[in-house]
Amino acid sequence: MFNLSLSDEQKALRDLARHFTQNEIAPLAAEADREEEYPWELLEKAHSVGLTNITVPEQYGGGGLGYFEDCLVAEEIAAGCAGIYSTFVASTLALTPLNIAATPEQMERLIRPFCAEPALAAFCLTESGAGSDVASVRTRARRDGDSYVVNGTKRFITNAGVANLYTVTATLDPDLRHRGLVVLVVPANTPGVSVGKKEDKMGQRAASTREVIFEDVRVPMDNRLREEKEGFRLVMETLDKIRAQVAASAVGLARAAMEAAIKYAKEREQFGQPIASFQGIQFMLADMDIKVEAARLLVWQAAWLADQGLRNSYESAIAKCFAAESAMKITTDAVQVFGGYGYIKEYPVEKYMRDAKLLQLYEGTSEIQRVVISRSLLK
Ligand SMILES: Cc1cc2nc3c(=O)[nH]c(=O)nc-3n(C[C@H](O)[C@H](O)[C@H](O)COP(=O)(O)OP(=O)(O)OC[C@H]3O[C@@H](n4cnc5c(N)ncnc54)[C@H](O)[C@@H]3O)c2cc1C
């Protein structure tokens, strides 16, 4: 049976996230952006109402819900502040390899205590020489007895310095490229782990983005996910699963920009009438809505496939690419609807536009999504 309606539980979760966003996130968004400070009390509140660790199984202290439900929450939170949402999705991204590949013992030891407290995790993949080309990772994991000794520097890591847990992709031998990668779970307080410079960003400024440095960090083999050399596949499976969430956050951000543009268009008068009466403005609003609705359906498809345990690389790449590019276009047009006021920080839409740009870059750039899509078309 084909059905696109939400269950009562799903509607209740979406409404919870919507109210939480309106009451707790939206009022703090402008200041968090200006001050580049993450409002910590938010995480505690989100944890207490069950809006964190949604996809972690209930038996380990998580929400026990699917990626689809996580996308419902993502859309709502990102509508309030995409930067604050990035801290949530970066944490889910870091926990996803554990959800996919951890043994019950690893979940019990590493994830149950993590979920018991308000806490964030971080996904440490990118390096200065390894961005889109993941197989170029140089952070080394050298076997020493029943441990790995990890050395290297990760770049652009969301939640770096504030996370309790790092999921780290390292290489056993850089010459092996894809076949050399291994994924290790590293508690942030392990000796030898430190953070480097904080990035001064264009947008999504509420999220902390820094280097993470590993100097002779001893990680027990028991913290390795899957077998040696299976790291690359695990990273790819993780990104496939989580791209729908990033796409959902693009839908939320775009929706918020569209709603702001509609409200302003009805209020602002020029030539003796609201600017909403001009067809040029009406069509811009209609095009925004077409993109929001279409992107949401693509998100739902990609997340539903992930929850069925079905491969969704192609669908999640389409959803991420379309939603991110739609968010960029919609937020830029929202500035246009606001005219000169759209360019001024006192109004909300310039932040939406700055925040949207990151969605075309992280978790795989729009070009990399097109690589995934065209590979699927041409195979
Ligand atoms: C604010 C922020 C937060 C981030 N958070 C995290 C995080 O938490 N964890 C993490 O691991 N990483 C994170 N990243 C890193 C992010 O995922 C990478 O920046 C991204 O994957 C692109 O890598 P790069 O910056 O090295 O760009 P490059 O890979 O150098 O790409 C440069 C340009 O070349 C294009 N390009 C590259 N390869 C191809 C190709 N084959 N075909 C066509 N075009 C191509 C790209 O699309 C891009 O336009 C974050 C980045 C930012 C800016």
Side-chain angles (χ1 to χ4, degrees):
M1 191 180 73
F2 183 67
N3 188 350
L4 278 174
S5 52
L6 300 181
S7 69
D8 288 345
E9 291 77 14
Q10 288 167 337
K11 282 184 198 154
L13 178 69
R14 184 197 56 192
D15 291 348
L16 170 72
R18 189 169 290 175
H19 290 132
F20 186 83
T21 301
Q22 280 162 0
N23 297 331
E24 307 290 350
I25 296 180
L28 304 176
E31 193 188 338
D33 176 63
R34 198 170 46 245
E35 302 300 324
E36 236 182 333
E37 279 297 330
Y38 185 68
W40 277 103
E41 64 282 6
L42 253 188
L43 182 68
E44 284 162 27
K45 288 180 185 167
H47 188 261
S48 71
V49 298
L51 288 175
T52 56
N53 310 322
I54 286 173
T55 56
V56 172
E58 233 173 341
Q59 67 200 99
Y60 303 114
L65 297 171
Y67 290 94
F68 184 86
E69 284 77 16
D70 207 29
C71 283
L72 296 178
V73 172
E75 180 179 331
E76 298 308 323
I77 295 183
C81 179
I84 289 172
Y85 178 67
S86 264
T87 67
F88 284 66
V89 76
S91 199
T92 308
L93 172 63
L95 298 179
T96 298
L98 285 124
N99 275 346
I100 297 174
T103 62
E105 184 279 325
Q106 287 174 322
M107 289 299 277
E108 194 64 47
R109 179 165 51 86
L110 298 163
I111 294 305
R112 183 191 283 286
F114 176 87
C115 288
E117 305 283 336
L120 292 170
F123 184 71
C124 302
L125 174 63
T126 302
E127 298 175 5
S128 56
S132 302
D133 181 12
V134 169
S136 291
V137 158
R138 287 288 180 275
T139 294
R140 279 301 274 266
R142 183 175 53 78
R143 275 278 289 275
D144 183 29
D146 54 5
S147 304
Y148 294 98
V149 178
V150 179
N151 280 287
T153 299
K154 296 290 179 179
R155 190 93 204 262
F156 294 157
I157 305 304
T158 306
N159 294 339
V162 294
N164 289 4
L165 205 64
Y166 293 123
T167 311
V168 183
T169 304
T171 179
L172 301 166
D173 176 356
D175 291 340
L176 294 176
R177 297 211 16 105
H178 307 80
R179 285 171 297 113
L181 299 187
V182 65
V183 178
L184 304 172
V185 184
V186 184
N189 60 5
T190 309
V193 178
S194 62
V195 289
K197 86 175 163 82
K198 183 173 174 175
E199 306 294 351
D200 185 6
K201 303 197 295 290
M202 170 197 288
Q204 302 221 7
R205 290 165 59 84
S208 163
T209 311
R210 310 179 77 121
E211 287 178 335
V212 182
I213 301 154
F214 299 89
E215 284 171 302
D216 290 330
V217 177
R218 196 163 275 276
V219 183
M221 275 178 62
D222 288 346
N223 285 18
R224 187 191 68 219
L225 299 175
R226 282 204 183 139
E227 297 302 315
E228 285 188 346
K229 305 188 182 179
E230 290 186 12
F232 182 76
R233 250 192 90 197
L234 181 54
V235 167
M236 291 301 127
E237 284 174 44
T238 299
L239 292 173
D240 283 351
K241 281 214 189 301
I242 216 72
R243 275 180 183 144
Q245 267 90 331
V246 178
S249 73
V251 174
L253 171 59
R255 194 189 82 201
M258 178 180 75
E259 286 168 359
I262 293 169
K263 184 168 178 287
Y264 187 80
K266 287 187 192 163
E267 288 167 3
R268 172 72 174 167
E269 292 196 359
Q270 286 294 278
F271 299 96
Q273 52 195 310
I275 60 168
S277 68
F278 303 133
Q279 199 177 52
I281 298 287
Q282 290 168 4
F283 281 11
M284 237 191 294
L285 299 177
D287 284 343
M288 290 179 187
D289 196 39
I290 291 168
K291 288 189 170 61
V292 166
E293 292 294 319
R296 184 183 294 116
L297 287 175
L298 289 172
V299 166
W300 285 14
Q301 171 179 251
W304 180 83
L305 286 167
D307 285 335
Q308 305 312 304
L310 297 169
R311 187 150 186 221
N312 71 346
S313 322
Y314 167 76
E315 292 82 0
S316 64
I318 290 180
K320 159 75 165 63
C321 189
F322 184 77
E325 303 217 332
S326 296
M328 197 64 245
K329 170 76 176 141
I330 290 167
T331 55
T332 307
D333 284 351
V335 171
Q336 195 68 21
V337 170
F338 274 68
Y341 298 91
Y343 203 66
I344 306 297
K345 281 189 186 284
E346 196 182 328
Y347 293 82
V349 284
E350 63 81 34
K351 173 179 184 297
Y352 292 143
M353 188 175 155
R354 287 186 286 111
D355 286 354
K357 187 61 207 171
L358 182 58
L359 300 166
Q360 295 177 296
L361 299 171
Y362 74 174
E363 313 257 348
T365 62
S366 288
E367 289 73 31
I368 292 304
Q369 308 310 325
R370 287 184 169 90
V371 168
V372 174
I373 296 161
S374 54
R375 241 183 228 150
S376 179
L377 294 176
L378 297 171
K379 79 174 173 216

